[in-house]
Each structure stands twice: as structure tokens, then as C-alpha cells.
Amino acid sequence: MLNIAAVVILYNPEEIGITAVIQNIQSYSHCMKKIYIIDNSKNEHTEFLQYIPDCIYIFNENKGGIGGAQNRGCEKARKDGFDWVMTMDQDTIFEQSQLEQYLKNIEDFILKDESVKSFSLAAENITPHSHWTDAIKNILRPIKRKIFGAKKLPPEYEYKDRCIASANVMNLSVWEKIGGFDEELFIDQVDYDFCYRLRNENFKIVKFNSVHINQHYGEAHGFTLFRKHYMKYSRFRYYYCIRNSYIMIARYPQYKDFYKKYISDLFFDNCINSIHCAKNLSIFLKAKRDAALI
């Protein structure tokens, strides 16, 4: 059995509902030996201690952003003798059967390939959203299936260069070896940067496509004529998305095509397909300038 704890990052949980967040954590807490709740909110939320068994609450006040919170949780788990942690967002929920299968897959794979030190799984967006394109896609979908056949299923698992932080199960000795999460990045690309450094040390990442988590990706925002859905980023977050993407290109040129596409999509969504294009353009240019100084 895995010697594993969960590190859960809180950030103003009242925005989605305290009760909902507690239920999210309870969907996997019973399979973890300890739950470390790291709170990056402005105010404390010690009420979580009443509802989550074997819980340790740490008020981090957003020091170091997401990377800082993850590092605080991993540091505590390491000191408490855990070998693995599962990092979780507050808006992610597990179905019971999926969680059990995920942990079993990990245990089996560790025996199969000891070089794998990070595990991930498929994420399904459960955020409700609609757009005028939905009606057209509903008409075209059966026609597409008839012409091109059923959608090809992905392999049961695959080796990856990157994975998201939610439900990422990682080895703490490797987290320590590669220097933890980069707190200077603060928000965006913190998880991917960690993965790239892990890969540079010749460790492997496995994603199981046969199991999944349910996660809220965010609502579409602004004026969305051309695209159905994209992430609802604040201008603060948007700045870090752009800045950190340029930092990733400088650090890891082998992934420059991936980040050029990401930057292009962000530019289109926020500087063209938006009623706030002038303001967002100024943020874009500032983020690009600032990236060159780091």
C-alpha cells in the first residue's frame, strides 16, 4: 500500500462554497493517510479541521503562490515520513471507483518501472457552459461519426513530459532532489516547470487515460464570438500566464512550439476576442517585457 498523503491548496474557498470544497476533499481523504490543507486565502479557514479527519491546516497567506503552498505541504509530508503526495485543487472531486483504480494502477506501475516518479490521469471538465456553436456541433457530430467512424480510444497509459497539478501523485524524494516547485513563477506553469526538471533528471511521468477526475476549468468570460469556451482568468492571472510562458520558452526551448501556440491562443482570446482588448494588450506587452528580465 502506498505511503501517501494529500496536499490540498485552498484559495478563497467561499467563492465556490465551503461545503462544496469540504465534499470535494472528502471524496478522497479516506484513502489518504494524512491531509495537508495549505491555505493561500486572505483569511483563515480553520473550520476544515472539524470535517476532515487526519487533517493538518497551514495558513500560508499566498506566500510563494501555488508553488509556495505546494512546497509547504510537501515539506511537512516529508518530515512526517511520507514517500508520496497527491497534490489537489479545491475544485477537484474523485468518484470512488476512479480513486481506487488510480491508486491501484500506481502501485502496480511502481513495481513495473521504478523510474516513474510522477503519475497523472485524465481530467473531465464538469463546468456547465453553452455557446451558439453547440447547436451546430450537435448537428454535425453524428454526421462526422458516420463519415469518419467512432473516436479512437487513447492508450490505457502513456509517458508524458508534463501533467497538471490536480491529482498528481509524485515521489517526495524526487521533489526534494530537483529543488521543489519554483515559487518565483507564483501561479501559472508551476506544475509544468516541475515536470520539465523531473524529466531533465531522467525520471518519468505516466498518465493513466483509463481513470479520471472531475474538475471545474472555469467559465468563459468577456465577449466570446469566435470560441465556445476558454479559461476565466483575472488580469492578475493573465499577466502570469503570458510572463511565465515566455520564461518557459527561455528555460526549455525544446517546448517552444507548445508555448508559442499557448501564447497565440491567449493573445487571441484576450486581445482580439474581447471587449477589453486595449487593457489586455498592455498587460500582454508588460508581461513579455518582464519575462526578459528574469
Side-chain angles (χ1 to χ4, degrees):
M1 184 175 180
L2 284 177
N3 183 24
I4 186 171
V7 173
V8 186
I9 312 302
L10 292 188
Y11 185 72
N12 300 332
E14 52 275 342
E15 293 182 3
I16 62 176
I18 298 292
T19 300
V21 175
I22 289 172
Q23 291 173 345
N24 290 347
I25 298 173
Q26 288 174 338
S27 73
Y28 53 83
S29 60
H30 60 287
C31 288
M32 300 289 119
K33 294 184 178 181
K34 187 79 71 176
I35 303 290
Y36 298 94
I37 295 181
I38 317 300
D39 196 348
N40 266 357
S41 309
K42 293 180 179 178
N43 302 310
E44 294 188 22
H45 299 89
T46 55
E47 61 267 32
F48 280 83
L49 292 167
Q50 304 174 34
Y51 300 100
I52 310 299
D54 297 318
C55 170
I56 291 179
Y57 174 88
I58 299 173
F59 186 50
N60 190 56
E61 298 181 275
N62 216 9
K63 295 173 184 174
I66 292 175
Q70 290 173 328
N71 282 336
R72 300 298 86 74
C74 290
E75 287 164 4
K76 191 69 173 67
R78 185 74 166 145
K79 289 179 182 177
D80 289 345
F82 288 100
D83 300 319
W84 299 83
V85 295
M86 181 172 72
T87 56
M88 295 294 292
D89 294 333
Q90 64 184 11
D91 59 359
T92 304
I93 187 169
F94 262 105
E95 296 173 16
Q96 182 62 35
S97 62
Q98 297 298 297
L99 174 60
E100 293 173 355
Q101 187 62 52
Y102 184 41
L103 296 177
K104 184 180 184 304
N105 287 358
I106 293 172
E107 289 177 344
D108 293 343
F109 216 97
I110 290 172
L111 297 175
K112 178 180 178 180
D113 189 346
E114 292 183 355
S115 65
V116 180
K117 300 299 182 182
S118 177
F119 294 91
S120 184
L121 73 176
E124 294 188 1
N125 184 10
I126 59 174
T127 304
H129 58 269
S130 60
H131 195 261
W132 64 270
T133 57
D134 286 339
I136 296 175
K137 288 184 178 181
N138 288 337
I139 295 172
L140 295 178
R141 191 174 292 112
I143 299 173
K144 180 181 176 182
R145 278 200 301 267
K146 188 172 183 180
I147 296 174
F148 298 103
K151 183 179 179 180
K152 185 178 179 181
L153 294 176
E156 184 178 354
Y157 70 87
E158 54 189 325
Y159 291 95
K160 306 291 286 186
D161 285 334
R162 63 183 77 89
C163 67
I164 62 173
S166 256
N168 174 213
V169 173
M170 62 178 181
N171 184 270
L172 282 172
S173 63
V174 171
W175 163 83
E176 188 173 56
K177 179 176 181 178
I178 66 176
F181 294 94
D182 186 348
E183 299 182 23
E184 189 175 22
L185 296 176
F186 203 76
I187 301 179
D188 199 64
Q189 300 303 314
V190 174
D191 45 4
Y192 284 5
D193 173 75
F194 180 87
C195 291
Y196 299 147
R197 285 185 283 123
L198 182 148
R199 293 290 296 119
N200 285 345
E201 293 291 333
N202 295 316
F203 297 115
K204 297 176 184 177
I205 301 167
V206 161
K207 178 186 177 185
F208 296 110
N209 296 309
S210 56
V211 289
H212 70 270
I213 49 169
N214 295 325
Q215 187 173 25
H216 291 274
Y217 286 166
E219 299 282 357
H221 71 96
F223 177 68
T224 56
L225 174 62
F226 302 107
R227 286 181 59 173
K228 172 183 175 181
H229 176 73
Y230 59 95
M231 296 296 288
K232 184 181 180 181
Y233 290 144
S234 66
R235 287 171 179 165
F236 177 78
R237 175 70 182 269
Y238 172 58
Y239 165 84
Y240 279 101
C241 289
I242 300 299
R243 192 200 73 161
N244 292 355
S245 293
Y246 279 108
I247 291 173
M248 291 298 102
I249 291 175
R251 288 183 182 178
Y252 312 104
Q254 66 268 39
Y255 302 118
K256 66 179 179 180
D257 291 341
F258 173 84
Y259 284 103
K260 284 182 178 180
K261 174 66 166 58
Y262 182 54
I263 292 169
S264 176
D265 288 345
L266 287 170
F267 182 85
F268 180 85
D269 289 339
N270 295 277
C271 299
I272 297 177
N273 189 26
S274 171
I275 59 174
H276 306 292
C277 53
K279 178 64 177 178
N280 290 340
L281 178 61
S282 68
I283 295 172
F284 184 98
L285 296 175
K286 178 179 180 351
K288 185 177 182 180
R289 288 193 303 268
D290 290 351
L293 302 176
I294 295 175

